Amino acid sequence: RRSDESAAADATLRTRGANGLADCPILVVDDAPLNCELVTSFLAIAGFNNIRAASDGVEALEMIAAETPDVVITDLAMPRMDGFELCSTLRAMPGHAETPIIVQTGLDDPKQRARVFARGATDLIMKPANRVELTARIVNHTARAVLIRELSAYRARLEADLAIARQMQRKALPSDAAIAEYRREGLEIAHH
């Protein structure tokens, strides 16, 4: 029964993942190589193929500067820069206020979990990660990131189209010099 549910969930995730999400950049940050491999394999099963890994927050920030991920999955306890500091630093960087950060942790203290969100985490997954839950959350967060990117591009195109329409309308109106000439001839002209 459980394997049937997992298979159905995997099929759903693969279908959703195939709908433009497979190439979304995902960054996994964990100092334990085994954990990075585990998360990467979970995401690969779901159909994601642009997954990078960093061993701590410092390396993650270097990788983020090179390519902005649609989702960051980070552990908390790491050398050089832990997950708390990574969340805070990423939130302070221009253009990353909305980047989804999923913290993967074994913390069961509610105050520490609240601290994770206070530092800027978007979501929290308890270790050991459940494959179906992890991939479902990644699918949801990447779909949101893609939607925001598409809406931003649409808005930019719409603003450009409106600017062109404004120029065309202005060109259809008589020039200020022509209006002044018409007024000298006794015509009353108003335009907006």
Side-chain angles (χ1 to χ4, degrees):
R1 170 105 179 127
R2 177 70 187 139
S3 62
D4 290 344
E5 288 175 0
S6 287
D10 287 345
T12 301
L13 292 171
R14 274 194 300 278
T15 300
R16 289 187 68 190
N19 293 334
L21 303 181
D23 293 327
C24 289
I26 299 170
L27 179 60
V28 179
V29 187
D30 199 316
D31 61 323
L34 183 60
N35 288 339
C36 284
E37 288 176 30
L38 183 66
V39 171
T40 299
S41 67
F42 286 172
L43 297 175
I45 289 169
F48 291 100
N49 56 40
N50 188 0
I51 308 161
R52 298 175 299 149
S55 61
D56 61 33
V58 173
E59 185 180 356
L61 291 175
E62 291 168 0
M63 295 175 87
I64 290 167
E67 179 186 19
T68 300
D70 282 339
V71 176
V72 175
I73 306 166
T74 185
D75 186 26
L76 288 178
M78 296 179 291
R80 295 198 303 168
M81 180 186 286
D82 66 15
F84 292 108
E85 191 176 349
L86 175 60
C87 287
S88 297
T89 303
L90 192 57
R91 289 295 177 238
M93 292 170 60
H96 294 288
E98 298 299 321
T99 301
I101 304 171
I102 300 174
V103 171
Q104 190 181 15
T105 184
L107 289 176
D108 55 1
D109 177 14
K111 288 181 183 179
Q112 289 292 9
R113 289 199 311 257
R115 184 175 162 223
V116 167
F117 289 109
R119 290 292 194 100
T122 310
D123 205 348
L124 184 123
I125 297 174
M126 297 303 291
K127 283 184 177 180
N130 173 286
R131 180 176 58 83
V132 175
E133 178 186 5
L134 174 71
T135 53
R137 289 179 192 233
I138 297 299
V139 166
N140 288 336
H141 287 293
T142 53
R144 179 181 170 268
V146 167
L147 180 61
I148 289 170
R149 191 168 39 251
E150 288 173 351
L151 287 172
S152 295
Y154 173 76
R155 182 178 180 178
R157 282 192 313 272
L158 185 61
E159 287 175 2
D161 289 348
L162 288 173
I164 291 169
R166 229 179 343 269
Q167 286 178 331
M168 290 172 61
Q169 288 174 339
R170 284 189 181 134
K171 287 183 180 183
L173 294 173
S175 69
D176 289 340
I179 290 174
E181 181 65 32
Y182 297 146
R183 285 187 177 147
R184 278 194 290 272
E185 299 289 326
L187 292 175
E188 288 294 321
I189 297 175
H191 70 282
H192 175 72

